Amino acid sequence: MAAEIVNPRSDSSTDQDGGAEPLDSFDPAFALHRGGKMAVQATVPIRDKDDLSLAYTPGVARVCTAIAEQPELVNDYTWKSSVVAVVTDGTAVLGLGDIGPEASLPVMEGKAILFKQFGGVDAVPIALACTDVDDIIETVVRLAPSFGGVNLEDISAPRCFEIERRLQERLDIPVFHDDQHGTAVVTLAALRNAARLSGREIGQLRAVISGAGAAGVAIARMLIEAGIGDVAVADRKGVVSAGRGDLTPVKQELASFTNKAGLSGSLEDALAGADVFIGVSGGTVAEEAVASMAEGAFVFAMANPNPEIHPEVAHKYAAVVATGRSDFPNQINNVLAFPGIFAGALQVRATRITEGMKIAAAEALAAVVGDDLAADYVIPSPFDERVAPAVTAAVAAAARAAGVARR
């Protein structure tokens, strides 16, 4: 299967009202999406009856029999070891929320073509008509024999944590929730370079994360794993701390390994003297709170389309500013991570994606910047052709070192 950008258009098409002007006659986004953004392409020719007899019956039966006798051969003689399932239930799509499986498909197709474009990995969008945790898990487990990995996408928190954990326990292929780990990998890479630019180590930094959802929790875990000095996470009710009586089980666990300083109160209170702001929640942070941060601070305001702190405000006080938008420097974009991470994991037929593999991906991504490091260049562009090969190689090596590689 090859994911290709396709753009079949029909001038005679009309919308559901029948006869009205088609949407794609005035909106380029609809024009690009007409007919979908993907196609299936054969990798072998069928030119004559001999080709047909090899690709299908009777030749295919010999391959089936061999796989039945030696199941591991499925990785050599089918697409399994080189294709990823992009799975969603449509409950947390972009900033649109719970819009359902059908409406999520344009995003899942987009994710699949990004896998192909930036990592050379084939991917299949799968939108599920169920939201129950057990139903999702059982459905993906039943689909898993066809795939070498599972990328969970746009599944709302806190269900996404349990779904990922239980799927990885059940399956012997990588299960990766990109909203969590992809964001965390790219954030860590940018933070490593921001620290290097300022002559500091990550262990000298105190960070505050706005948002205790999927991305916020994953970023906190990865920063702790990377050795940050301290990190506090704030939700709508303030800093997540052990003293709060309203915490979910996920946030109780989060409180157990974050906020060594014992901070309480609001996000703005926590920002006083902080070295790093990381926003993955939306909303707006008051300029006075940004001004209270430590000298030479870093602001990573990643909400889209409206950053929690506008770059014009952030630049008044921060040494490095990053957002989630492509029209400002230092875009924290998941596409820098997930294609190479899966390419590396599939290359060695890894059984899972470990913390070490994610850390290796972040280090490789940061290293791409090299000597060109500057305040407006702490993270490479998604179109930098060095990115995916560097991440792929680092992840494959880390998988072998961790003992989760099968070749």
Side-chain angles (χ1 to χ4, degrees), residues 70-324:
Q70 301 180 61
E72 67 276 8
L73 291 179
V74 70
N75 293 299
D76 296 312
Y77 295 104
T78 74
W79 77 343
K80 177 180 171 68
S81 65
S82 60
V83 69
V84 171
V86 180
V87 179
T88 190
D89 65 353
T91 55
V93 181
L94 301 178
L96 304 173
D98 185 354
I99 59 174
E102 289 85 359
S104 77
L105 265 177
V107 178
M108 300 310 115
E109 287 184 2
K111 195 78 172 191
I113 65 174
L114 294 180
F115 265 109
K116 187 67 174 179
Q117 176 73 26
F118 293 104
V121 173
D122 285 321
V124 177
I126 298 175
L128 303 178
C130 59
T131 58
D132 178 77
V133 168
D134 290 336
D135 288 346
I136 292 171
I137 291 167
E138 292 304 321
T139 302
V140 176
V141 167
R142 284 164 171 74
L143 291 169
S146 295
F147 300 99
V150 175
N151 184 88
L152 300 174
E153 190 76 19
D154 291 349
I155 298 174
S156 63
R159 297 175 312 121
C160 59
F161 301 110
E162 180 182 358
I163 290 169
E164 182 191 35
R165 176 182 57 79
R166 288 174 55 188
L167 278 174
Q168 191 60 86
E169 290 172 354
R170 297 273 301 272
L171 300 176
D172 65 347
I173 57 175
V175 178
F176 186 84
H177 185 210
D178 184 54
D179 298 322
Q180 294 182 59
H181 311 301
T183 305
V185 165
V186 184
T187 301
L188 176 58
L191 185 58
R192 281 195 181 281
N193 276 339
R196 179 163 70 94
L197 182 67
S198 68
R200 287 178 283 178
E201 300 291 335
I202 282 187
Q204 298 173 272
L205 304 177
R206 177 171 74 83
V208 177
I209 298 173
S210 175
V217 171
I219 292 169
R221 287 186 185 279
M222 183 157 286
L223 294 185
I224 293 292
E225 186 76 19
I228 197 165
D230 196 11
V231 57
V233 183
D235 61 11
R236 292 183 180 87
K237 297 182 179 179
V239 175
V240 174
S241 59
R244 279 178 47 181
D246 61 345
L247 299 181
T248 64
V250 170
K251 292 180 183 178
Q252 288 174 0
E253 183 184 4
L254 181 64
S256 72
F257 64 84
T258 60
N259 194 18
K260 292 187 293 187
L263 300 176
S264 59
S266 68
L267 167 71
E268 287 76 11
D269 293 333
L271 278 177
D275 302 293
V276 185
F277 169 80
I278 297 171
V280 284
S281 66
T284 302
V285 177
E287 182 171 346
E288 293 78 9
V290 184
S292 75
M293 295 178 69
E295 185 177 354
F298 312 141
V299 169
F300 293 1
M302 299 186 287
N304 260 318
N306 300 311
E308 296 89 347
I309 303 168
H310 194 278
E312 289 182 2
V313 173
H315 277 297
K316 294 180 184 180
Y317 311 100
V320 175
V321 177
T323 72

Side-chain angles (χ1 to χ4, degrees), residues 319-377:
V320 175
V321 177
T323 72
R325 288 171 44 158
S326 60
D327 54 344
F328 293 111
N330 297 325
Q331 184 190 18
I332 308 294
N333 192 328
N334 289 11
V335 76
L336 288 161
F338 68 82
I341 289 174
F342 267 101
L346 294 175
Q347 184 180 97
V348 298
R349 295 178 187 167
T351 57
R352 63 189 59 243
I353 294 170
T354 67
E355 289 301 312
M357 291 160 73
K358 290 179 249 179
I359 295 287
E363 292 174 346
L365 183 55
V368 170
V369 170
D371 294 336
D372 295 324
L373 181 64
D376 61 354
Y377 184 55

